[in-house]
Amino acid sequence: MSIFNEIGMYHYLILALMLFCIGFWGVIVCRNVIRVMICLGIMLNAVAINFITFGVFVDSQNLHGLVFSLFIAIFCAVEIALGAVILVSVYKYKKSCDTQKITDIRG
Amino acid sequence: MENLSAVIFYSISLLLVAGAFCVIFSKRIMTALFGAFLLFLMFGALYYLLNATFNSALTVLINAVGVMVLFMFLAILMPQKDEKTLWLSFRPGMFVSAIALILFFAAILWALMDNYLERISDVLFSFNALERISNTAYIVGEKLITNYALAFEITGFVITAVVVGAGMIGIFRRNEENR
C-alpha cells in the first residue's frame, strides 16, 4: 500500500492530469462564457502544478519551474481580464453569454 | 508524519476535483463561482504543500480573490434569466470529447505508471525530499531579477498592452453608441 501512503512526484502529476482533463472537458461542454473562462483557469493551474512539481522534485537547486508557474499565473489573470472585457462588449450586442450564440467570426 | 502528509494531499485533491466538477455541473452561476473560489484556494494549498510559498500566495491573491470578484461582478451585472438553460450543451461532441479525454487520461496515466514501476530515482518518491528546500520565495525572487529579468520586463509590457487594449475596446464601444 506504499503507493498510496508515500506521496511523491507522480501523485502530483496524476492530479494535474485529472484537473487538466476536467478543465478541458469543461471548456468544450459549458455554454456560459464565465464557466468557460474558469475552466481555462483550471487548465492553466493544472499546467502550473506540473511546472512546480518538476521544479521542486527534479530541479530543487534552481527552481526554474516555480518561476515559470509565476508567469503562468500572471498570464492567467491577464487572459481572464481581457476575456471579461470582450465578454462585456459582446454581451452589449448579443444580450447573452451563450457560447453557441456568439458565432459571428466563425468561418 | 508521512501518513499526515498523505491525508492532507488526498483531502486537497478531493476538494480540487469536487470544486472543478462544481464549476461544470452546478446549475446556478453563483454556486459555480463558489466552487471556483474553493478550487483556487485549494490550488494555493497544494502549492504550499509543495513548498512553493510565493506561488501559493500569488494564486490565492490573484485567482481566488481578484478574479473571483471580477466574475462575481460580471454574474451580478448580467441578469441571466436563462441561467438554467445556459448549463451544459448536450451535443454529440460532448460525449465524443469525454471519450477522447478518458483515452488521453488513460494513455498518460499508463505512461506515468510505467515510469513509476521502474522507480528511476528515490528522490521522486519521497515526500521528505521537499523538506530539504527552504525559502523558495527568496530563490524565486532572485531568479526573477537575474536570469529572468528580460522575461519579467516583457511580461510587464504585455500587461500594460492588455490594460491599454481593454480600455480601447471600451472607448470604441462608447463611440459607436454615441453615433
Side-chain angles (χ1 to χ4, degrees), chain A residues 53-87:
Chain A
T53 306
F54 278 108
V56 167
F57 280 93
V58 181
D59 183 32
S60 58
Q61 297 298 317
N62 294 312
L63 298 173
H64 290 296
L66 272 70
V67 182
F68 272 95
S69 78
L70 274 182
F71 287 120
I72 289 175
I74 292 166
F75 281 107
C76 178
V78 165
E79 166 247 318
I80 285 172
L82 202 55
V85 172
I86 293 170
L87 172 63

Side-chain angles (χ1 to χ4, degrees), chain A residues 5-66:
Chain A
N5 291 335
E6 206 178 350
I7 303 298
M9 191 179 87
Y10 291 92
H11 295 80
Y12 289 97
L13 294 183
I14 291 168
L15 175 65
L17 176 65
M18 280 175 67
L19 289 168
F20 184 85
C21 288
I22 294 170
F24 196 84
W25 193 65
V27 169
I28 292 170
V29 301
C30 285
R31 291 179 63 181
N32 194 324
V33 178
I34 296 174
R35 282 176 210 256
V36 171
M37 284 199 286
I38 295 172
C39 288
L40 283 173
I42 295 172
M43 286 172 67
L44 283 170
N45 273 290
V47 174
I49 290 176
N50 271 350
F51 272 108
I52 293 176
T53 306
F54 278 108
V56 167
F57 280 93
V58 181
D59 183 32
S60 58
Q61 297 298 317
N62 294 312
L63 298 173
H64 290 296
L66 272 70

